[in-house]
Amino acid sequence: MQFDRPTRINEKIAAQRAEMKAKRASDPESSSSERQPAKCDPEEAFASLKKFMSLQISSAATANPLLTPGGGYNYDSPSSLARIMSLYTGLGSYGKKNTSKAGPMRESADASEGLQVFDSKIDMAAVDHLRKQGYEGVTSQEQRANQRFPSRCMEDLLPVPTLLRTKRAKRCRTCRHILVKPEPKVVSTRYRIRLLALNYIPSITLQPLLAPASASSPSASAMNLNNLPALKANQFLLTLKNALFEPVKITLATPSHTPGRFSHKVTILCPQFDIGANADPWDEALASGDTSNRRASKALPSSHSVRDDAGGTKVAEAGKVWEKGRNWTTVVLEVVCEAVVGQDEREDADVLEIPIFVRTEYEVDVEKENVQASAEKERREKRELAYWAVIGVGRIAPISV
């Protein structure tokens, strides 16, 4: 089955099944020897049984006691009032309990009335089908639970429509400000208010610091992140990009040795630095023509070398940033990996992950509450934001004993 849109799945499935039934009914019937046992459709069986039971209930129901022989309602006579009281009390005339029983209803007699007769040929055909398809053609318990009508074979599975979810608005626990508020329309997936944390915290990227390639072995400078050497100082470039329109002050902290079974030594050469404010793309485009006061704001290349533009060797120094742009700053991170002997039994035991605590400080304008305060000098309030981040670096090469 193929659908143009992922909406109204049940209606489209019902329409396609109706077309298949109409085609099957229009085809000439084959001989009885070649005819295969037909599967019972649960929807048709339920509709037939419902129609049959409705007719039985309507025929077995007693006549309305409030109707007169002429067909109208009569509420003036004492007999009509007694009949009304009998409807609520369950007692018949003269205060006696109505002991009359409803007429018996007959059971369904054929398939048109919802009767399902056991046919061994259907079960034998299902067994033969399972033998041909094998375990791959059998549905799992989870698949059968998600289907409207459970099926045994994979080919009988039907598309499941997307379940409806509740739209919720979220507030900050401290200031109770609305962070996320979706639109009230059911079919709309847009948000009226959407304050994501990624728009306020600096983004973190990590890239290896490549050594200068020599003429004899130009590929020696390449670093394989899936095979990091142990017991050797590996240097990486840690880049933080500011998303705010205010300059921020960054303070980084990390444990000297990573937690876990293997303790790797981590050192941040410049843990404190400043990052410039993020600018509007239109302002940046207009300022691109002025080359005198333009700052380096281009993105970092995919690979960095320790050689500078003058051709000399650039060495990472403690307390100094490696490179700085308009709204990003790069510092050097040094890691000495512990030796991983052989293949560890635990899953992902050789994965190198570094926990880093990031603390940001920036100033914002305080909103003025009255007209008199607007004439005064604008005040700025200092705000602070701190969070933990875990950076995945790569895998450590095992050492064979």
Side-chain angles (χ1 to χ4, degrees):
M1 294 184 178
Q2 296 181 358
F3 305 104
D4 299 334
R5 296 180 180 178
T7 56
R8 299 183 178 180
I9 300 297
N10 290 331
E11 297 180 5
K12 295 178 181 178
I13 291 176
Q16 290 193 9
R17 295 182 69 178
E19 293 179 2
M20 295 172 60
K21 294 174 185 178
K23 292 180 180 180
R24 192 184 307 166
S26 61
D27 294 340
E29 295 183 356
S30 58
S31 59
S32 59
S33 59
E34 299 178 355
R35 188 183 308 167
Q36 297 180 355
K39 298 180 182 179
C40 181
D41 191 355
E43 293 183 352
E44 293 184 356
F46 179 77
S48 302
L49 185 61
K50 181 181 179 181
K51 182 179 180 181
F52 169 73
M53 295 302 296
S54 300
L55 294 176
Q56 291 294 314
I57 292 174
S58 60
S59 61
T62 57
N64 193 342
L66 298 180
L67 290 177
T68 60
Y73 287 92
N74 185 11
Y75 300 102
D76 297 336
S77 62
S79 59
S80 298
L81 296 177
R83 290 174 186 149
I84 293 174
M85 294 299 297
S86 66
L87 292 177
Y88 295 97
T89 59
L91 302 177
S93 302
Y94 307 103
K96 296 181 180 180
K97 189 175 182 179
N98 188 8
T99 57
S100 61
K101 297 181 180 180
M105 295 186 296
R106 69 177 183 88
E107 298 181 354
S108 57
D110 52 7
S112 62
E113 297 178 352
L115 178 64
Q116 297 185 13
V117 183
F118 172 74
D119 190 0
S120 60
K121 295 182 180 180
I122 297 178
D123 291 347
M124 293 303 298
V127 172
D128 295 340
H129 186 270
L130 293 178
R131 289 176 179 175
K132 295 178 181 179
Q133 298 293 333
Y135 288 104
E136 297 180 354
V138 181
T139 57
S140 62
Q141 184 177 2
E142 183 179 0
Q143 290 175 337
R144 289 192 293 269
N146 294 331
Q147 290 290 314
R148 186 178 180 183
F149 302 105
S151 56
R152 302 173 182 173
C153 304
M154 295 289 293
E155 59 184 15
D156 296 336
L157 293 178
L158 297 176
V160 179
T162 305
L163 299 180
L164 298 179
R165 296 182 180 271
T166 305
K167 292 185 176 182
R168 296 181 179 180
K170 295 185 179 181
R171 293 177 177 268
C172 179
R173 295 183 178 180
T174 305
C175 62
R176 304 302 300 170
H177 189 275
I178 297 178
L179 302 178
V180 177
K181 186 176 182 180
E183 289 188 357
K185 295 182 180 179
V186 179
V187 297
S188 177
T189 58
R190 298 180 179 179
Y191 289 87
R192 181 173 294 180
I193 300 176
R194 191 180 184 185
L195 304 178
L196 300 179
L198 295 178
N199 299 333
Y200 294 88
I201 63 176
S203 61
I204 304 175
T205 57
L206 188 71
Q207 296 178 352
L209 177 60
L210 304 182
S214 60
S216 59
S217 58
S219 62
S221 61
M223 180 185 298
N224 187 5
L225 296 179
N226 292 326
N227 196 14
L228 296 174
L231 304 177
K232 181 181 177 182
N234 302 308
Q235 292 185 345
F236 300 90
L237 296 179
L238 184 65
T239 304
L240 281 80
K241 187 175 182 180
N242 183 20
L244 299 176
F245 293 95
E246 300 290 342
V248 297
K249 181 180 180 181
I250 302 295
T251 303
L252 302 179
T254 181
S256 59
H257 293 81
T258 59
R261 182 177 180 182
F262 299 99
S263 181
H264 311 290
K265 186 178 180 180
V266 182
T267 305
I268 301 177
L269 299 186
C270 185
Q272 294 183 355
F273 51 89
D274 298 333
I275 305 179
N278 187 16
D280 192 6
W282 291 104
D283 297 340
E284 183 181 0
L286 294 175
S288 61
D290 186 7
T291 58
S292 58
N293 298 326
R294 185 176 59 181
R295 301 179 61 186
S297 60
K298 60 183 180 180
L300 293 177
S302 58
S303 62
H304 294 269
S305 175
V306 296
R307 290 186 179 275
D308 55 8
D309 297 337
T313 303
K314 187 176 181 180
V315 182
E317 299 180 8
K320 294 185 179 181
V321 298
W322 179 265
E323 196 171 359
K324 190 173 183 179
R326 173 176 53 84
N327 65 329
W328 54 266
T329 302
T330 302
V331 295
V332 178
L333 178 71
E334 186 174 293
V335 182
V336 179
C337 302
E338 187 180 354
V340 179
V341 180
Q343 297 291 337
D344 195 90
E345 297 180 355
R346 300 182 182 179
E347 186 179 1
D348 296 337
D350 57 343
V351 174
L352 175 59
E353 294 181 343
I354 303 174
I356 295 180
F357 182 75
V358 184
R359 180 171 174 265
T360 63
E361 295 180 3
Y362 58 96
E363 294 182 354
V364 295
D365 296 335
V366 179
E367 297 181 358
K368 304 175 181 60
E369 298 180 356
N370 48 31
V371 181
Q372 296 179 358
S374 61
E376 300 177 358
K377 186 178 180 180
E378 295 183 358
R379 296 181 301 168
R380 296 181 66 84
E381 181 182 1
K382 182 181 292 187
R383 294 186 180 180
E384 179 183 342
L385 177 64
Y387 60 95
W388 278 95
V390 179
I391 303 176
V393 181
R395 293 182 179 272
I396 305 172
I399 298 177
S400 59
V401 180

